[in-house]
Amino acid sequence: MTLPRIGVFDSGVGGLTVLKALAEQSPAHYFYFGDTARLPYGTKSAETVARYAIGAAHFLEAQQIDLLMIACNTATALALPLIKQAAHVPVFGVVEPGAAMAAEVSKKRAAVVIATEATVSSHAYRDALQRRGLAAYEKACPLLVPLVEEGWIDHPVTEQVARIYLDEALAQGSGDADVLLLGCTHYPLITPLLRRILPQNMEIVDSAASTARVVREALGESNKDLTSTDGDHRSFRFYVTDSVDKFKRLAIRFLGRQVDHVEHVDLGG
Ligand code: DGL
């Protein structure tokens, strides 16, 4: 049978957490685009993020993809409708699946969302949660992305920073939230650290894992007989706009294994 060709787009390496979750659940040929020359997106305007993301979407479409996954929370939050308009294949983002999973898990109907500055300012997660009847308390955690990229995923400084952010976030929610929704590609890597500092009664929901489930369902029955097998039914190609070597170095941390087939591309503008 023919495997689906899935394009995965992110501002950099972080989206590899989404790729990892997707590949665990869905056999496919994966084409990953990391816009490493222009990251971070989390501090940029919606117009700029949309322009970058649409350029990347067209590049991935030229690889004959059947489906495009916007792994970047910031790009999803700021530009998903525009990317969908510009693309010729079905496009999935990470916000709706993350919110849907939070709504499944939360008993108290309230969640804390942590994300980049731009994602929080867009209120995309708040709106998606409110549509599902949940109260949302959003907290931008801009220092966590560079700390994770530095590899400080179990470091006292990261723990201290996360503690300060979460204390502030939980203070807004006056203790009624029972879910912490990870609204950024980098945060799944610090799940164990977050678990240590969160109140016992709070569950962690990861948008990457939630999205992988949605994509598996969308691919449906055709892929079913392959889902129990591994390696043989997955292939990976990576395209980055900055250094190939740096991407390879960081990718091991995010994907948990070495990556080959990484090419540099220049989209200009
Ligand atoms: N990929 C971004 C996100 O998920 C984090 C990194 C960035 O700011 O570009 O929001």
Side-chain angles (χ1 to χ4, degrees):
M1 70 168 290
T2 327
L3 284 177
R5 297 166 73 87
I6 301 181
V8 180
F9 164 68
D10 183 51
S11 57
V13 280
L16 294 173
T17 55
V18 179
L19 177 65
K20 186 165 185 261
L22 285 171
E24 272 163 16
Q25 299 208 21
S26 300
H29 296 300
Y30 288 97
F31 299 83
Y32 182 94
F33 186 100
D35 196 5
T36 45
R38 301 189 289 201
L39 98 160
Y41 279 16
T43 49
K44 292 193 167 67
S45 70
E47 291 71 28
T48 302
V49 168
R51 183 158 52 84
Y52 291 171
I54 288 169
H58 287 150
F59 174 87
L60 285 168
E61 284 186 319
Q63 318 308 311
Q64 270 86 49
I65 54 169
D66 303 305
L67 179 162
L68 174 61
M69 178 70 235
I70 306 299
C72 181
N73 288 259
T74 305
T76 303
L78 271 57
L80 189 64
L82 289 173
I83 304 168
K84 280 186 171 172
Q85 244 172 48
H88 306 92
V89 294
V91 182
F92 292 80
V94 283
V95 172
E96 290 295 327
M101 180 79 100
E104 264 177 48
V105 168
S106 176
K107 294 189 180 63
K108 294 186 171 174
R109 314 312 292 158
V112 169
V113 184
I114 55 173
T116 63
E117 196 72 64
T119 299
V120 165
S121 303
S122 76
H123 298 303
Y125 272 106
R126 182 197 65 189
D127 297 347
L129 287 163
Q130 284 182 349
R131 278 198 298 279
R132 292 169 171 86
L134 269 73
Y137 304 99
E138 299 170 289
K139 177 73 191 158
C141 303
L143 293 174
L144 293 182
V145 164
L147 286 167
V148 169
E149 294 216 349
E150 191 59 33
W152 289 14
I153 55 175
D154 197 16
H155 191 287
V157 169
T158 312
E159 180 159 339
Q160 182 71 16
V161 168
R163 206 179 276 282
I164 293 169
Y165 283 143
L166 288 179
D167 282 352
E168 288 173 11
L170 294 175
Q172 294 177 60
S174 52
D176 62 346
D178 59 356
V179 165
L180 176 71
L181 179 49
L182 308 186
C184 175
T185 47
H186 289 57
Y187 302 166
L189 271 83
I190 53 166
T191 302
L193 181 150
L194 294 171
R195 183 63 278 164
R196 275 205 303 276
I197 60 183
L198 267 185
Q200 286 273 307
N201 68 331
M202 283 190 84
E203 298 262 359
I204 296 179
V205 167
D206 165 0
S207 286
S210 321
T211 303
R213 189 181 63 168
V214 168
V215 169
R216 190 191 62 211
E217 283 164 11
L219 291 171
E221 292 297 304
S222 56
N223 242 20
K224 206 173 159 194
D225 10 326
L226 295 169
T227 46
S228 56
T229 59
D230 49 21
D232 309 341
H233 296 294
R234 289 153 183 85
S235 73
F236 301 91
R237 288 272 178 287
F238 300 90
Y239 306 94
V240 295
T241 52
D242 194 20
S243 156
V244 165
D245 287 342
K246 184 169 181 208
F247 180 82
K248 283 185 170 174
R249 254 196 334 273
L250 286 174
I252 297 179
R253 196 171 295 150
F254 283 82
L255 209 51
R257 62 182 188 79
Q258 185 132 353
V259 301
D260 306 307
H261 308 296
V262 187
E263 267 176 53
H264 177 264
V265 294
D266 191 353
L267 293 187

